[in-house]
Amino acid sequence: MNRTAEAPAGARLPVLDRLLPVWIGVAMLAGLLAGRWIPGLGAMLDAVAIDGISLPIAAGLLVMMYPVLAKVRYDRLDTVTSDKRLMVSSLVLNWVLGPALMFALAWLFLPDLPEYRTGLIIVGLARCIAMVIIWNDLACGDREAAAVLVALNSVFQVIAFAGLGWFYLAILPAWLGLPGVALEVSAFEIAKNVVIFLGIPLIAGYLTRKLGERTRGRDWYETRFLPKIGPLTLCGLLFTIVVLFALQGEAITANPLDVARIALPLLAYFTIMWAGSFALGKALRLSYERTATLSFTAAGNNFELAIAVAIATFGVTSGQALAGVVGPLIEVPVLVGLVYVSLAVRRRFTSPVPPTEHVPAP
């Protein structure tokens, strides 16, 4: 996937990136149709799993994330961790405002559909640790900041997910006089999800850069090696989307009205979280790159974890699981659209990153 962070604010995106919504739309449609029309495809893909982890989805995500994490300059991570405004803002947005907003929207839009409402609340609790890296890279965000904030989300996901699930699904509804449900999820299961979907590509990316720079130098690594592995990101993204929608194609196409009801609060959630985070970043006088990173890490969700928790707790055919499945159906096109919105407003930032901050384009 082409990197455009070095281009002027008004520059046009490369052809591949400008047509990304087309590729994603085709992949979503192909997956839906394949899952609906090819007998047994969904069951076959679902059966290729180890300890509840879908191997096709895991493979697609790992291939998708590896090139982006290999581009990160790990020797510059201290410039991110020292930015207290960014770190505190990300924690508040992800672990205070995000879950609270999804809880409010779920009850506002789905007061009569408790299964879907619960599924959406679970989606709101699962903060993004995977695809957000792709949206951030497309929007020319800060790669190092994205790596740090995603790692931070991962730590808090292991520590806080179960507790927040208990609070938002049982305690808070009881305080408000609303019906609640119980959520059973172990910290081990969440940690396993984090290790597979973030830990493996993060370690691979770090070791690739360290060994590549040590043996051939940074110039070779960034101008020769990274361009060769860059296309893997798009391939992994499209493959993941096809598999994901093939797995759930029948459920989605068989319940179009339910999908539409679930989609409305999701659409509101992604838009509000992104726009609010972007406005906060600008108000804090963060650079465009870090504002974009803050916005996408706050707006995205870990649909892999949300779906896994919903299925484990309520069953594969439950309304909670369907709500989790609809999550990426809405998130993928909405956040791709917000990438283009982000690039369009980039010119309003009057303090560009110094030339030394730029990473050569693969």
Side-chain angles (χ1 to χ4, degrees), residues 327-343:
L329 175 71
I330 306 303
E331 177 177 344
V332 169
V334 169
L335 291 191
V336 169
L338 290 174
V339 165
Y340 291 87
V341 174
S342 182
L343 292 171

Side-chain angles (χ1 to χ4, degrees), residues 3-350:
R3 175 72 169 170
T4 57
E6 297 68 38
R12 290 167 59 85
L13 282 169
V15 173
L16 186 63
D17 290 351
R18 289 205 305 273
L19 295 178
L20 182 63
V22 176
W23 312 139
I24 288 179
V26 170
M28 292 171 65
L29 181 61
L32 286 171
L33 294 178
R36 182 73 177 179
W37 291 346
I38 300 178
L41 177 61
M44 182 181 67
L45 290 173
D46 201 33
V48 187
I50 296 180
D51 199 18
I53 300 294
S54 170
L55 294 184
I57 290 180
L61 286 171
L62 296 181
V63 170
M64 174 187 76
M65 293 173 64
Y66 164 68
V68 180
L69 290 171
K71 297 172 187 175
V72 172
R73 285 185 171 178
Y74 293 92
D75 57 354
R76 291 176 45 210
L77 295 185
D78 59 333
T79 66
V80 179
T81 57
S82 62
D83 190 341
K84 299 299 187 292
R85 295 173 303 168
L86 178 68
M87 301 288 284
V88 172
S89 297
S90 180
L91 284 176
V92 171
L93 287 167
N94 275 285
W95 297 102
V96 179
L97 297 181
L101 176 62
M102 187 68 90
F103 175 86
L105 290 172
W107 274 99
L108 178 64
F109 283 90
L110 303 171
D112 58 328
L113 296 171
E115 290 191 359
Y116 297 155
R117 184 176 64 237
T118 298
L120 284 185
I121 293 172
I122 294 173
V123 170
L125 298 176
R127 313 313 300 169
C128 195
I129 63 170
M131 279 193 169
V132 67
I133 292 176
I134 307 304
W135 313 140
N136 176 75
D137 208 52
L138 283 171
C140 303
D142 187 315
R143 286 181 183 137
E144 288 68 40
V148 170
L149 296 186
V150 165
L152 191 65
N153 272 350
S154 300
V155 173
F156 271 79
Q157 200 155 97
V158 175
I159 296 173
F161 184 91
L164 286 174
W166 172 69
F167 176 75
Y168 280 105
L169 293 175
I171 300 303
L172 184 57
W175 287 352
L176 299 175
L178 301 170
V181 297
L183 179 66
E184 297 182 4
V185 57
S186 70
F188 172 77
E189 290 299 318
I190 299 171
K192 179 180 68 175
N193 184 278
V194 168
V195 168
I196 291 174
F197 293 117
L198 177 64
I200 292 175
L202 185 62
I203 292 172
Y206 172 78
L207 292 178
T208 300
R209 177 173 279 277
K210 188 175 182 65
L211 294 175
E213 290 187 354
R214 177 181 295 176
T215 58
R216 304 294 294 272
R218 173 165 289 187
D219 181 67
W220 172 87
Y221 181 82
E222 293 185 341
T223 62
R224 302 289 297 276
F225 177 73
L226 289 182
K228 292 181 179 179
I229 66 172
L232 291 175
T233 296
L234 179 59
C235 295
L237 174 62
L238 297 180
F239 175 79
T240 301
I241 291 172
V242 170
V243 172
L244 180 66
F245 285 89
L247 280 169
Q248 304 296 339
E250 185 172 354
I252 292 172
T253 56
N255 302 280
L257 294 180
D258 290 347
V259 169
R261 294 259 336 242
I262 298 169
L264 289 176
L266 284 168
L267 180 60
Y269 173 82
F270 295 131
T271 304
I272 292 171
M273 283 299 294
W274 182 88
S277 303
F278 207 92
L280 176 62
K282 188 161 177 58
L284 293 175
R285 303 181 67 83
L286 297 176
S287 66
Y288 164 80
E289 287 74 13
R290 291 196 172 173
T291 297
T293 300
L294 179 68
S295 300
F296 284 100
T297 51
N301 290 88
N302 185 353
F303 62 82
E304 305 93 356
L305 176 60
I307 294 171
V309 169
I311 291 175
T313 305
F314 303 102
V316 68
T317 60
S318 65
Q320 291 88 343
L322 178 61
V325 168
V326 176
L329 175 71
I330 306 303
E331 177 177 344
V332 169
V334 169
L335 291 191
V336 169
L338 290 174
V339 165
Y340 291 87
V341 174
S342 182
L343 292 171
V345 301
R346 186 181 178 192
R347 63 177 61 90
R348 298 191 180 184
F349 285 75
T350 56

